[in-house]
Structures are given as C-alpha cells and as structure tokens.
Amino acid sequence: MSAATARSLVEHFEAGLDAPICLTWELTYACNLACAHCLSSSGRRDPRELSTRECKAVIEELQRMQVFYVNIGGGEPTVRRDFWELLDHAQAHDVGVKFSTNGSRIDAQAAARLAACDYVDVQISIDGATAEVNDAVRGQGSFQTAVDAMSNLAEAGFGEFKVSTVLTRENAGQLDALKAIADRFGAQLRLTRLRPSGRGAQVWDQLRLTAEQQREVHAWLLAQGEQVLTGDSFFHLSAYGQALPGLNMCGAGRVVCLIDPVGDVYACPFAIHEQFLAGNVREPGGFAGVWRDSALLRELREPQSAGACGSCGFFDACRGGCMAAKFFTGLPLQGPDPECVLGHGERALAAHGKGPRPMPSVDMSKRRPSRRAPRRLPVIESPPSPVIESPPSRLCDQSPVGPDRREPAHASTGLRAP
C-alpha cells in the first residue's frame, strides 16, 4: 500500500464507517493457561457469557452489516463447547473468522477440519522462539503445545496460518528466529505490541521494549515489509521518520471495536474499562445499534485534538500513539504515548510518578495462576466437514481494503456522519 493510499484511507476511516471492517470478539474468559501479560485477564468462565443462540444472532447481525471478518479470541475460544458450531454458523453466513488459540486443541483431526474451511484463518500464539522465553510468560509446556499445533496445521495442508507474538523485552532479540519458525511451517509471523492492559499492566514496566529495542524493531519491520504483519499496533514508531506498512492509525470506535463474552461492546480491544464501554449487544438494537448510536463512539469519530502533542512535528505520523497504553499508565489521552520514541512519554511517566493507574473493569484471572503445562482439552465431537482435496484461497487472507470478490458495501461508500 502506497503512503498516499494509506493517508487517503486514514482520512476516510477516521470519521467512522457504517460497520467495523473487523471486530474482536472474546468468546469466553475461560482459559487453560494463565499468561502473565493477558490483556483480558482471562482464566475463569463468566457464567453470564452469551449463549449459543445469542452468539448466532450476533453472527447473523454481522452478516447484515457486511462486516468483513471477526477476530475470535478469549480466553481460549476453543474451550467453549459450541465453538465448532459457531464456526460453522459464521461460514454459513459469510462472516470470516480469524481465531487466536494457544493450540492445545488443534490436534490432527481439528487441523484437518480447519484445512477444509474456506473462510477461516488461525493464529497460534507463541511469545518466544524458545521454550525458555515463551514458557516464562505463557506457562510450562506451552511452547511445545503451540509447535505441535503448527505442525498439525502444516501437515493437514491448511496453508498460511499466522504465528502471533506479543513483542517483549525478552523476545525482541529473537525476531529472526521467530520468523524462521513461521517460515518452517509455511505460516506468516504477526507481531503485536505489549500493552499495559489486563494482567499486562502488572508486567508492562518489566517487559516493555527499551528505547534501543524500539529503534531496532522499527528497522527490522521496515526491512521485512509486508512479510510480517503488525495489525497496525506499532504506529507510534512512525515518529522515527518512516511509517510502517498499514494504515498507522488508532481505529478504536472508527473501524474496530470489541465484544466481550457477556456482550459488552468496548471501543478498543485493548481497553476493557467502563470508560470505553459503548453498550451491550443484548440491548434493544443489538450490536448495530451500539455501533451506530453510542455516544462514546460518536465522540471518538469527531476530530480529535492533538493536545500536548500538537507542537510535535511528528504528530501527523504517530497521531499521539495508543489510547489504551496512555490510559492504563495513568497518562492523559490527549498527550504522548508512554513509549513515545522521542522520550516525551518517559518524561510524562516520570511526572506522573507513583500516581494511580486505572484497573480493568473485568478480571477473571484464576486465583492461583498456573505455570504448569497447558491441559490437552478434548476436542468436542461435531459433524465432520467435507474433505476438500485442494482448499481454495481463503477469503480471510484478502485485504479488507483491497480488491475482493465479496465487496462490503461500507468499504466503498460507508462514511457515517459523525
């Protein structure tokens, strides 16, 4: 994507679309791991989570809104007994699914079933190129579990799944090795920024990148181009002078949002806090009503003040950085990102000192976080999918802003009046 095209799309998207290009949907807070940096503080199931019927209704609503795809997460989404049923329902209703998993349920049978799906993509999470680094934050044995899942997907002929890594101080020196793992299995590496959200707030000071590592990561990502995905989570690094591939913008409430397990809709997938709560899908009007009419989302779609960053010559590049990172470190939203590459964030943090930091509104962490090996949860039996000898190219692999055989109406016409 050229720089001019990216700028044009940012201008188009900042006022908000009739429907999100994609949304994150945490199906459950239940998880058989207890990752130290879990942004949703997952572990235990919330008994109020959406029923199968309610989840299917949301999927049907997303189809009517022509949402391009949904990022399914958790918790560990495959823990839900109706996971495969919901996956089938999404495919039947032309809603693409990208789901993130620790791999504990991706055995050979599950991998073969996924390989037979057209409109499904899979992200296997690892947070280190070695068991020593990965297991320190994800739990003993979790690295091998993830590698086994990758192997099963590759052997089943799934194609280019994703290897998803949260970048930390401990694994930043393993970028080449992490990409080599993805290449080994015919996958694509996807790097995500560590944010002080959920349990991540407790380890952010210890695990966030150093200033030197930030510069090295920026240079490495530029060298990789579009071979490595970032989900636009490193747009604050654009202040080094060269933007990374992608839109490089905060899409909260404009093109993305989050639905949590109980149906609450948050403007930002990384800010599960009442300040960013826009509504609930169980309310009259459903998800579409929240997206269209929420006062919070309407406010986010208004032109935003540059605040303290207004005098910075790089504001147009980094746009002040990540809203969630600022909020959960106690910094004002109209101020510098705490990891501002020019050092403004460090000075703001120093001025804030030991001041209070907001806590997430939801915490389903297990009372005693486990670092044992992930439990090999049994795969829930469901009707087998037809075997496809040569799976077609997945629609999920296509860009939501590029040419596509299923053109979403909002991608070409959908500016909603702010």
Side-chain angles (χ1 to χ4, degrees):
M1 183 189 303
S2 70
T5 300
R7 283 195 300 272
S8 176
L9 286 171
V10 168
E11 292 171 0
H12 182 71
F13 291 162
E14 280 189 328
L17 301 179
D18 284 341
I21 288 177
C22 66
L23 61 88
T24 297
W25 187 357
E26 311 286 27
L27 274 185
T28 183
Y29 286 126
C31 191
N32 55 328
L33 292 185
C35 299
H37 57 352
C38 178
L39 67 90
S40 60
S41 300
S42 290
R44 295 174 289 118
R45 173 183 174 270
D46 191 316
R48 303 170 299 155
E49 67 185 29
L50 298 175
S51 67
T52 303
R53 179 182 59 80
E54 289 174 315
C55 287
K56 287 183 175 180
V58 171
I59 290 169
E60 292 161 13
E61 190 171 19
L62 297 181
Q63 180 190 34
R64 291 191 295 271
M65 295 175 70
Q66 296 186 301
V67 171
F68 192 81
Y69 64 86
V70 57
N71 288 310
I72 297 291
E76 171 54 43
T78 62
V79 167
R80 276 191 64 132
R81 297 184 64 85
D82 58 1
F83 172 76
W84 294 102
E85 183 179 351
L86 295 176
L87 197 67
D88 288 341
H89 196 72
Q91 289 185 89
H93 289 79
D94 301 317
V95 176
V97 172
K98 297 187 179 187
F99 75 93
S100 298
T101 175
N102 57 41
S104 58
R105 277 187 150 177
I106 309 300
D107 61 7
Q109 180 183 355
R113 176 170 184 175
L114 290 168
C117 298
D118 175 29
Y119 211 5
V120 175
D121 197 10
V122 183
Q123 288 190 163
I124 305 294
S125 297
I126 60 170
D127 290 320
T130 60
E132 179 183 12
V133 173
N134 175 87
D135 292 5
V137 292
R138 299 189 63 85
Q140 182 183 356
S142 58
F143 179 79
Q144 189 58 51
T145 295
V147 170
D148 290 345
M150 294 181 213
S151 179
N152 289 333
L153 287 170
E155 291 178 8
F158 180 87
E160 194 179 60
F161 61 92
K162 307 300 183 290
V163 176
S164 182
T165 299
V166 177
L167 205 55
T168 69
R169 188 173 302 182
E170 303 301 323
N171 62 28
Q174 298 184 322
L175 292 176
D176 288 331
L178 285 163
K179 188 174 184 302
I181 290 175
D183 292 344
R184 169 186 165 193
F185 293 106
Q188 187 173 23
L189 180 63
R190 182 181 189 275
L191 298 181
T192 302
R193 181 183 178 185
L194 173 69
R195 291 177 172 86
S197 308
R199 286 198 297 271
Q202 302 170 27
V203 298
W204 184 78
D205 288 317
Q206 294 76 40
L207 292 182
R208 67 186 177 108
L209 300 182
T210 65
E212 181 180 359
Q213 285 176 325
Q214 285 205 121
R215 184 174 287 279
E216 291 171 351
V217 167
H218 179 252
W220 190 86
L221 287 172
L222 285 175
Q224 299 302 316
E226 296 185 0
Q227 295 182 66
V228 174
L229 303 175
T230 64
D232 271 343
S233 62
F234 295 99
F235 64 91
H236 67 296
L237 299 183
S238 298
Y240 279 127
Q242 188 171 353
L244 298 170
L247 293 174
N248 289 294
M249 65 172 284
C250 173
R254 301 176 178 94
V255 296
V256 301
C257 66
L258 174 136
I259 302 175
D260 83 350
V262 302
D264 281 338
V265 179
Y266 293 90
C268 173
F270 305 103
I272 302 176
H273 188 277
E274 59 184 11
Q275 182 165 327
F276 303 101
L277 179 60
N280 189 285
V281 301
R282 285 170 165 152
E283 297 169 356
F287 172 73
V290 176
W291 181 261
R292 288 193 307 262
D293 303 326
S294 163
L296 169 66
L297 300 188
R298 284 179 175 272
E299 181 181 352
L300 287 173
R301 294 163 191 163
E302 294 286 347
Q304 302 295 306
S305 168
C309 293
S311 61
C312 178
F314 291 102
F315 176 76
D316 287 341
C318 80
R319 311 299 296 177
C322 174
M323 178 176 73
K326 288 185 273 192
F327 179 77
F328 283 115
T329 52
L331 299 183
L333 298 184
Q334 293 183 340
D337 187 291
E339 293 184 288
C340 167
V341 301
L342 302 180
H344 300 312
E346 291 289 351
R347 288 187 283 275
L349 288 173
H352 184 66
K354 299 293 184 180
R357 293 184 178 183
M359 298 297 292
S361 296
V362 178
D363 189 346
M364 299 302 293
S365 300
K366 297 171 184 175
R367 291 183 178 84
R368 295 179 180 177
S370 171
R371 290 292 179 267
R372 295 175 296 176
R375 290 183 292 127
R376 299 284 183 161
L377 300 171
V379 175
I380 303 299
E381 296 295 334
S382 55
S385 295
V387 175
I388 300 176
E389 294 183 1
S390 180
S393 175
R394 288 178 175 76
L395 296 178
C396 265
D397 287 339
Q398 299 180 21
S399 169
V401 295
D404 181 68
R405 68 187 185 195
R406 185 176 72 87
E407 182 73 18
H410 64 76
S412 58
T413 63
L415 273 184
R416 178 172 177 79

